Amino acid sequence: MADSIRVAAVGDVHLGTESAGSLGPALATLPDHADVLLLAGDLTRHGTLAEGRVVATEFADIGVPVVAVLGNHDHHGDEQDDIAALLGDHGITVLEGGAVTVRVGGRTLGIAGTKGFGGGFAGRCASAFGERIMREFVSHSVDLADALRVALDGLRTDVTVALTHYAPIEGTLHGEPREIYPFLGSYLLGEAIDACGADLAVHGHAHAGTERGITPGGVPVRNVAQPVIHSAFAVYELPVLVRSRTA
Ligand SMILES: [Fe+2]
Ligand SMILES: [Fe+2]
């Protein structure tokens, strides 16, 4: 049985209609380095179905399971449901408040995912008060964080990863202007991750942020936005720990 699971991840590839074939050479080597590929949203530039077709073609049949969440750019054309369905038709699992289990060498990898949303971080965050549009903004963030919590809580796998587009902590935003932190992530995602536990949290969205961080509860966080990792994908090797079970 595998003693570790190798997770490749990238976000914010922002493919356009002229990007067809651009990732092929790099992705051809991926199965040599990783057991699964996670896509952390912003797969398109403007969220059109035409761009979604390019994404679907680029990441189809690459030799390892591909699990994705969508990002804010993928919602811009209001075609996110069609894009998700198209990716699904090409064998790419798209999560929004759900989870999937991938088998790797006799072990199980559980991935719980959501786009997530903004709102900011503890002590400096938006609250569900006042104008309807403000309450709706915060409710969206709360709802997606709650869905992540439920999805994580339902996993019983050897290794668990939380996959989001928006950031769950401030630590991986360093490099971004502080003024826009509330639009880059929400501490509610981090709270959900810490409440349930995970071996790794992966996100994108913060193009000028920092790759490595950690939640208050000690879960490693990686910002895999392509402009941050400076490569086609990053690989994280997650050890499979033998957990004692109690009746
Ligand atoms: Fe992006
Ligand atoms: Fe984004």
XYZ file of all heavy atoms in Angstrom, residues 11-14 41-42 44 72-73 165 204-207 225 227, ligand 1:
118
model
N -4.063 26.557 -9.523
C -5.266 27.365 -9.691
C -4.976 28.524 -10.615
O -3.817 28.800 -10.971
N -6.047 29.199 -11.045
C -5.875 30.444 -11.792
C -5.079 30.261 -13.085
O -4.228 31.082 -13.425
C -5.217 31.502 -10.888
C -6.023 31.731 -9.628
O -6.910 32.599 -9.638
O -5.784 31.006 -8.635
N -5.412 29.185 -13.793
C -4.753 29.007 -15.096
C -5.360 29.954 -16.129
O -4.734 30.254 -17.144
C -4.834 27.548 -15.586
C -3.981 26.651 -14.693
C -6.266 27.051 -15.639
N -6.602 30.422 -15.882
C -7.224 31.471 -16.701
C -7.055 31.209 -18.200
O -6.517 32.044 -18.945
C -6.633 32.845 -16.338
C -7.097 33.356 -15.008
N -8.376 33.802 -14.786
C -6.450 33.488 -13.825
C -8.501 34.193 -13.523
N -7.348 33.998 -12.905
N -9.787 26.569 -9.139
C -10.665 27.620 -9.652
C -9.990 28.655 -10.519
O -8.777 28.661 -10.707
N -10.830 29.549 -11.095
C -10.382 30.498 -12.120
C -9.682 29.751 -13.246
O -8.539 30.043 -13.623
C -9.476 31.593 -11.532
C -10.284 32.734 -10.921
O -11.519 32.625 -10.853
O -9.662 33.735 -10.506
N -11.007 29.661 -16.250
C -11.243 30.467 -17.443
C -10.910 31.934 -17.160
O -10.604 32.304 -16.028
C -12.718 30.389 -17.864
O -13.521 30.987 -16.830
C -13.181 28.952 -18.065
N -14.222 32.751 -9.168
C -15.091 33.884 -9.507
C -15.071 34.176 -11.004
O -16.102 34.515 -11.594
C -14.714 35.118 -8.695
C -13.265 35.517 -8.841
O -12.380 34.670 -8.728
N -12.997 36.791 -9.080
N -13.938 34.031 -11.672
C -13.891 34.263 -13.117
C -14.784 33.274 -13.866
O -15.374 33.630 -14.886
C -12.452 34.154 -13.632
C -11.647 35.390 -13.390
N -11.189 36.205 -14.401
C -11.236 35.956 -12.240
C -10.521 37.224 -13.885
N -10.531 37.092 -12.578
N -11.390 28.009 -3.831
C -10.781 29.065 -4.648
C -10.365 30.230 -3.742
O -9.217 30.678 -3.783
C -11.742 29.535 -5.730
C -11.164 30.612 -6.584
N -10.018 30.428 -7.336
C -11.527 31.905 -6.795
C -9.719 31.546 -7.979
N -10.617 32.457 -7.658
N -6.648 29.128 -4.407
C -6.044 29.997 -5.410
C -6.472 31.428 -5.167
O -6.515 31.879 -4.029
N -6.767 32.173 -6.256
C -7.402 33.499 -6.226
C -6.444 34.640 -5.896
O -6.593 35.728 -6.445
C -8.586 33.476 -5.251
C -9.472 34.675 -5.329
N -9.944 35.195 -6.528
C -10.003 35.459 -4.345
C -10.725 36.242 -6.266
N -10.776 36.423 -4.970
N -5.489 34.429 -5.012
C -4.579 35.497 -4.586
C -3.308 35.431 -5.429
O -2.296 34.851 -5.028
C -4.264 35.368 -3.097
N -3.356 36.058 -6.598
C -2.253 35.950 -7.560
C -0.940 36.517 -7.036
O 0.130 36.124 -7.480
C -2.622 36.693 -8.850
C -3.726 36.073 -9.638
N -3.835 36.224 -11.002
C -4.777 35.305 -9.282
C -4.909 35.578 -11.448
N -5.506 35.024 -10.412
N -2.195 29.416 -6.748
C -2.415 30.285 -7.911
C -1.168 30.216 -8.794
O -0.044 30.345 -8.308
C -2.679 31.714 -7.456
N 0.393 32.193 -10.781
C 1.417 33.235 -10.657
C 2.224 33.147 -9.363
O 3.305 33.735 -9.265
C 0.589 34.532 -10.684
C -0.710 34.156 -11.325
C -0.963 32.744 -10.911
Fe -7.523 34.283 -10.650
